């Protein structure tokens, strides 16, 4: 029997010979077929070193295994990091767990080589275009030959070139590019903006009558004409269409027309033009070179004839069909007689027959028609006085709230002391009914009659200075904040209100007779002790120390019923 070392050495030698016979690997590779090997080991060795029977099954075929000891199993890699110091290569083949030189996902081949993915090995050749970038003439990597070439596809070539045999050559096809502005015609890149044979489109050739053609901006154009013809309409479609030796519109050359002198009829003889003014036109500057330059039908400076200026008063004139008319009136003026001779003759701000606009006539009030700043009704008597400082007391048409709900009416104006608007007037001979409504509408503005502005209109009046109660001898003033309301009853009111305290002047700082005591009036009224002023509008049947007072009568400061009593504001 052989010694144990010799027996082990014989076993290793047998495994090595078997592995080399097929080239297969037992480390990380597929298992060999379970093919029995007809090898009978030495009986003495088997008896001495192995407890197994001599007729135990033969070992599997390991002829494809690499030259590694079979009793040391190799570890499977799971990432490139596991192969950093391995002898198989720097990349991990995750499918087999082996370390290899490269994989499709991890090309770890050195510069100048690429990964043959099917074999996981490096071979000489370019990896990609980046490997060829250093050579300007061959910047592309041909994927089949792995050689650096000028191009692989047409897109790798400049516009106007094709990739033929990995070389860029001049030419084009339906899918290749031409330089910007060029088109592929008959296999060549041409500029359709300038190419006569392909003007605007492939095979669109320029051919013009009596002219040499040129292609400009993709359109056939005339480059030159055969004399004496000219291309006067600028259209290449009819070539050089004009005989400039006889055409009066192009006398001697295109554009040299007698008609270039405005509004004149011309003739062309020996390249010389003669002119006659057309109807409605005139040569007002005496300069023959500009022909008949003035349209006397529309010129404001030469309306109808040279030197006839259209300039109506207070207006902007316009010449229409040779006649002077008013085109636009100045602000505040109007042409109400439709005559340019006197222009815009009406001042609509003051003309009572054309107040604010032509034909707007103001009604007659107090024997006169008045227009206030373009309106037939002023806002107050003070406004009338401001517009017409010489206005005298009397009836005027007023609209106290402008565009508000109150209607325009005739009111009495007391033009003394800045203009006071009377809204209630009562004479001794005409008593007013005990009512809150407007009374005596037909008598409004007549100080010889009784009338009164009633609710709700009276409650809308807002003085800017004060209210004034007057009996033609005495005046009592009430603050402007007082809102007159005939429905308010002040009888036996023992505390002052804005409508029950009277003052001696519009300064509103001195109370009448020095102290207010009580009021017995409706709407607005002042009552002081002794011979103080007591003007009561629409007084009820009530008396204090003087007997019963007549319903509907206004009383003066001394209960004198023979005086007119009025309520006004400013």
């Amino acid at each position: 029997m052989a010694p144990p070392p010799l027996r082990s050495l014989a076993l290793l030698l047998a495994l090595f010979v078997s592995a080399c016979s097929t080239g297969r690997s037992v480390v990380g590779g597929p298992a060999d077929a379970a093919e029995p090997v007809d090898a009978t080991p030495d009986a003495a060795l088997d008896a001495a070193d192995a407890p197994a029977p001599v007729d135990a099954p033969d070992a599997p075929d390991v002829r494809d295994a690499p030259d590694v000891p079979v009793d040391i199993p190799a570890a499977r890699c799971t990432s490139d990091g596991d192969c950093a110091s391995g002898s198989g290569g720097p990349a991990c083949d995750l499918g087999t767990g082996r370390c290899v030189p490269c994989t499709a996902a991890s090309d770890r081949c050195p510069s100048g080589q690429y990964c043959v993915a099917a074999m996981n090995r490096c071979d000489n050749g370019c990896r990609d275009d980046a490997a060829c970038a250093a050579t300007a003439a061959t910047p592309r990597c041909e994927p089949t030959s792995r050689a650096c070439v000028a191009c692989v596809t047409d897109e790798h070539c400049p516009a106007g070139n094709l990739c033929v045999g990995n070389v860029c050559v001049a030419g084009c096809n339906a899918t290749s590019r031409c330089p910007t502005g060029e088109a592929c015609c008959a296999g060549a890149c041409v500029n359709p903006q300038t190419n006569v044979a392909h003007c605007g489109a492939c095979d669109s050739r320029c051919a013009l009558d009596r002219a040499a053609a040129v292609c400009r901006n993709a359109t056939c154009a005339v480059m030159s004409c055969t004399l004496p013809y000219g291309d006067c309409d600028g259209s290449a479609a009819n070539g050089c269409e004009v005989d400039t030796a006889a055409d009066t519109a192009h006398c001697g050359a295109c554009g040299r027309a007698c008609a270039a002198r405005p509004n004149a009829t011309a003739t062309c003889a020996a390249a010389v033009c003669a002119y006659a003014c057309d109807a409605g036109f005139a040569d007002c500057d005496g300069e023959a070179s500009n022909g008949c330059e003035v349209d006397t039908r529309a010129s404001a400076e030469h309306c109808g004839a040279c030197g006839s200026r259209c300039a109506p008063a207070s207006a902007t004139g316009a010449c229409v069909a040779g006649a002077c008319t008013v085109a636009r009136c100045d602000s505040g003026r109007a042409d109400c007689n439709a005559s340019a001779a006197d222009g815009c003759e009406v001042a609509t701000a003051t003309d009572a027959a054309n107040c604010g606009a032509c034909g707007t006539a103001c009604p007659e009030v107090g024997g006169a028609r008045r227009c206030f700043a373009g309106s037939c009704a002023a806002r107050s008597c003070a406004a009338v006085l401001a517009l017409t400082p010489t206005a005298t007391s009397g009836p005027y048409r007023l609209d106290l709230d402008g565009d508000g709900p109150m209607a325009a009416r005739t009111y009495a104006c007391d033009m003394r002391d800045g203009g006071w608007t009377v809204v209630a007037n009562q004479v001794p001979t005409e008593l007013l009914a005990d009512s809150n409504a407007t009374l005596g509408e037909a008598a409004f503005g007549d100080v010889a009659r009784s009338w009164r502005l009633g609710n709700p209109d009276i409650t809308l009046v807002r003085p800017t200075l004060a209210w004034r109660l007057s009996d033609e001898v005495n005046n009592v003033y009430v603050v402007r904040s007082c809102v007159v309301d005939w429905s308010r009853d002040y009888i036996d009111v023992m505390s002052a209100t804005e409508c029950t305290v009277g003052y001696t002047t519009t300064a509103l700082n001195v109370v009448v007779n020095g102290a207010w005591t009580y009021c017995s009036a409706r709407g607005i009224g002042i009552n002081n002790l002794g011979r103080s002023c007591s003007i009561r509008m629409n007084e009820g049947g009530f008396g204090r120390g003087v007997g019963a007072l007549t319903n509907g009568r206004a009383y003066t400061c001394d209960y004198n019923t023979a005086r007119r009593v009025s309520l006004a504001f400013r």
Side-chain angles (χ1 to χ4, degrees):
M1 182 170 97
L6 293 178
R7 187 174 66 241
S8 299
L9 180 60
L11 179 59
L12 288 175
L13 181 61
L15 290 173
F16 176 78
V17 172
S18 299
C20 292
S21 65
T22 65
R24 293 187 178 181
S25 172
V26 296
V27 179
D32 293 330
E35 177 183 357
V37 179
D38 188 13
T40 304
D42 180 72
L45 291 175
D46 290 339
D49 297 294
V54 176
D55 56 354
D58 296 331
D61 187 0
V62 293
R63 287 172 296 175
D64 291 337
D67 298 337
V68 295
V70 297
D71 57 344
I72 302 176
R76 289 178 62 88
C77 65
T78 60
S79 68
D80 287 357
D82 296 339
C83 301
S85 59
S87 59
C92 178
D93 182 353
L94 298 178
T96 64
R98 293 182 301 124
C99 292
V100 294
C102 66
T103 66
S106 179
D107 189 343
R108 307 294 290 271
C109 296
S111 177
Q113 293 186 351
Y114 70 99
C115 184
V116 182
M119 303 176 66
N120 290 337
R121 75 177 188 181
C122 297
D123 198 3
N124 292 329
C126 57
R127 177 184 303 161
D128 50 27
D129 286 355
C132 300
T135 306
T138 55
R140 304 292 179 177
C141 181
E142 208 290 314
T144 302
S145 65
R146 293 292 174 171
C148 291
V149 296
C151 63
V152 177
T153 66
D154 292 343
E155 286 73 17
H156 295 159
C157 296
N161 286 262
L162 299 175
C163 185
V164 180
N166 299 123
V167 177
C168 292
V169 297
C172 62
N173 55 37
T175 60
S176 67
R177 297 172 299 139
C178 282
T180 301
E182 294 188 4
C184 184
C185 296
C189 289
V190 299
N191 187 346
Q193 301 289 312
T194 58
N195 193 288
V196 175
H198 307 282
C199 190
C202 292
D203 300 322
S204 178
R205 179 175 294 276
C206 296
L208 308 178
D209 293 338
R210 297 183 292 273
V214 65
C215 181
R216 295 193 184 100
N217 299 321
T219 303
C220 290
V222 174
M223 181 172 65
S224 62
C225 290
T226 302
L227 293 176
Y229 293 95
D231 176 23
C232 298
D233 63 0
S235 174
N238 56 0
C240 297
E241 78 288 352
V242 174
D243 183 354
T244 59
D247 197 308
T248 56
H250 308 281
C251 191
C254 288
R256 190 182 296 167
C258 301
R261 296 181 181 179
N263 313 307
T265 300
T267 59
C268 178
V272 177
C273 292
Y275 304 92
C277 288
D278 296 340
F281 293 89
D283 178 15
C284 294
D285 64 359
E287 177 60 51
S289 63
N290 61 1
C292 303
E293 78 286 353
V294 174
D295 184 350
T296 56
R297 300 165 299 177
S299 173
E301 296 298 320
H302 307 282
C303 189
C306 290
S308 178
R309 188 169 182 266
C310 178
S314 303
T316 299
C319 185
V320 179
C324 185
T325 62
V326 173
R328 183 177 63 256
C329 288
D330 295 345
S331 178
R333 308 291 297 189
D335 178 21
C336 295
N337 63 3
S339 173
D342 56 1
C344 296
E345 76 285 356
V346 171
T348 55
T350 58
D351 193 317
N354 303 281
C355 188
C358 292
T360 302
C362 295
E364 184 176 317
V365 176
R369 299 179 186 275
R370 301 180 181 90
C371 181
F372 307 101
S375 174
C376 290
R379 290 295 297 272
S380 66
C381 294
V384 172
L385 195 61
L387 292 170
T388 311
T390 59
T392 58
S393 298
Y396 291 86
R397 188 169 178 79
L398 305 177
D399 187 352
L400 301 186
D401 65 346
D403 295 332
M406 295 176 64
R409 291 184 175 91
T410 299
Y411 294 87
C413 286
D414 181 359
M415 293 305 186
R416 299 171 298 173
D417 191 24
W420 290 83
T421 303
V422 180
V423 293
N425 189 73
Q426 185 168 306
V427 297
T429 58
E430 189 175 7
L431 300 182
L432 295 174
D434 187 7
S435 171
N436 298 331
T438 296
L439 302 175
E441 186 83 47
F444 260 62
D446 185 353
V447 294
R449 300 282 306 279
S450 293
W451 46 272
R452 179 172 68 237
L453 185 66
N455 290 2
D457 288 352
I458 190 69
T459 64
L460 301 176
V461 177
R462 298 290 185 270
T464 57
L465 181 62
W467 290 96
R468 185 188 75 183
L469 290 166
S470 176
D471 66 358
E472 299 182 275
V473 174
N474 304 284
N475 293 321
V476 178
Y477 300 94
V478 179
V479 294
R480 66 179 183 175
S481 60
C482 170
V483 177
V484 177
D485 183 349
W486 298 125
S487 67
R488 294 175 65 181
D489 196 342
Y490 294 115
I491 294 177
D492 277 341
V493 174
M494 300 307 295
S495 60
T497 72
E498 73 276 8
C499 290
T500 62
V501 179
Y503 297 89
T504 58
T505 67
T506 55
L508 305 174
N509 54 9
V510 178
V511 178
V512 173
N513 289 338
W516 177 90
T517 55
Y518 62 87
C519 179
S520 58
R522 184 182 298 164
I524 187 169
I526 311 303
N527 188 4
N528 295 307
L529 290 177
R531 297 182 59 81
S532 61
C533 182
S534 177
I535 300 174
R536 307 178 180 109
M537 303 302 296
N538 198 25
E539 175 64 35
F542 177 83
R544 183 181 293 274
V546 295
L549 303 179
T550 304
N551 182 38
R553 182 185 295 280
Y555 289 84
T556 62
C557 293
D558 53 4
Y559 302 107
N560 185 333
T561 60
R563 299 195 192 118
R564 178 175 69 91
V565 179
S566 65
L567 173 64
F569 74 89
R570 177 183 158 200

